[in-house]
């Protein structure tokens, strides 16, 4: 491949330059915070919103996996010497991602969050599966199939809702409200942080490439339902 140095173990990582280590810590902190925040504000409350035992069972699996993602990133972070409080949303000043500010009150909204929000997560995690810091790369590889399941879960239940009377209109309304919060998930275009991630081989794609990839894939998903994505101005990011 390229001449990017591969860091296979934490022991090796500890001897690397501070810029690289700082960049790795930033990613681990961000994942640990957002996985926990998302589990608390969306996934766990959705157990009560799910309309029947089958749906509750499926949501419970999602909840278990999302808390599990937090725990994996948290454990790695602790091994990297990150203070525990920095990875817990109620103990840090670092705010969670924009999508986390959305107030979810219904099952249908939850299904759209999983369908479109977890697709954004997939694009992010896919970018880490070639990461030069292998403990993080391995974690991304472990997390991946579960994120696929969450997005499929969202798609499947959203498809069922669309078959109900008035379902398509309802879901289109939720897409219109939720989707515009997601493109900023990938960070600013021409970001200095992202430049550092790519320099060290931690990430592969620029924020703008990931955002464009996401928009394309979200469009495919929504078109399958016979619905549309609201216009988003890519130059705004
Ligand atoms: Fe997750
Ligand atoms: Fe997920």
């Amino acid at each position: 491949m390229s001449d990017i140095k591969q860091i296979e173990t934490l022991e090796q990582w500890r001897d690397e330059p501070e810029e690289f280590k700082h960049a790795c810590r930033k990613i681990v902190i961000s994942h640990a915070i957002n996985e926990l925040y998302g589990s608390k504000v969306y996934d766990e409350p959705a157990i009560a919103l799910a309309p029947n035992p089958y749906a509750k069972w499926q949501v419970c699996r999602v909840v278990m996996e999302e808390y599990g993602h937090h725990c994996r990133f948290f454990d790695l972070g602790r091994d990297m010497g990150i203070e525990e409080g920095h990875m817990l949303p109620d103990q840090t000043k670092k705010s969670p991602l924009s999508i986390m500010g959305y107030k979810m009150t219904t099952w249908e909204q939850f299904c759209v969050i999983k369908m479109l929000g977890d697709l954004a997560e997939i694009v992010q995690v896919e970018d880490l599966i070639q990461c030069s810091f292998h403990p993080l790369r391995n974690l991304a590889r472990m997390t991946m199939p579960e994120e696929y399941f969450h997005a499929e879960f969202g798609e499947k239940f959203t498809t069922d809702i669309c078959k109900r009377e008035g379902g398509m209109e309802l879901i289109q309304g939720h897409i219109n409200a939720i989707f515009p919060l997601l493109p900023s998930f990938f960070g600013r275009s021409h970001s200095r942080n992202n430049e550092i991630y790519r320099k060290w081989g931690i990430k592969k794609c620029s924020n703008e490439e990931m955002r464009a990839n996401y928009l394309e894939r979200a469009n495919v998903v929504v078109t399958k339902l016979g619905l549309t994505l609201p216009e988003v101005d890519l130059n705004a990011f």
Side-chain angles (χ1 to χ4, degrees), residues 35 62 66 69 114 118 121 146-147 150:
E35 293 285 1
V62 172
E66 298 292 23
H69 296 170
K114 287 285 117 184
D118 285 54
E121 184 67 23
E146 295 174 353
E147 293 299 357
H150 305 163

Side-chain angles (χ1 to χ4, degrees), residues 108-122 147-160 162 171-172 174-176 178-179 182 214 217-225 227-229:
E108 290 78 8
Q109 290 167 335
F110 177 67
C111 295
V112 173
I113 290 172
K114 287 285 117 184
M115 176 176 76
L116 294 177
D118 285 54
L119 178 59
E121 184 67 23
I122 286 171
E147 293 299 357
Y148 282 128
F149 164 66
H150 305 163
E152 273 163 27
F153 161 102
E155 238 186 291
K156 185 198 159 293
F157 281 103
T158 304
T159 305
D160 292 347
C162 284
I171 293 297
Q172 183 67 65
H174 294 330
I175 291 173
N176 293 349
I178 293 165
F179 179 73
L182 287 159
Y214 171 65
R217 290 162 74 170
N219 193 42
V220 170
V221 168
V222 167
T223 305
K224 260 197 269 171
L225 297 170
L227 301 173
T228 53
L229 286 180

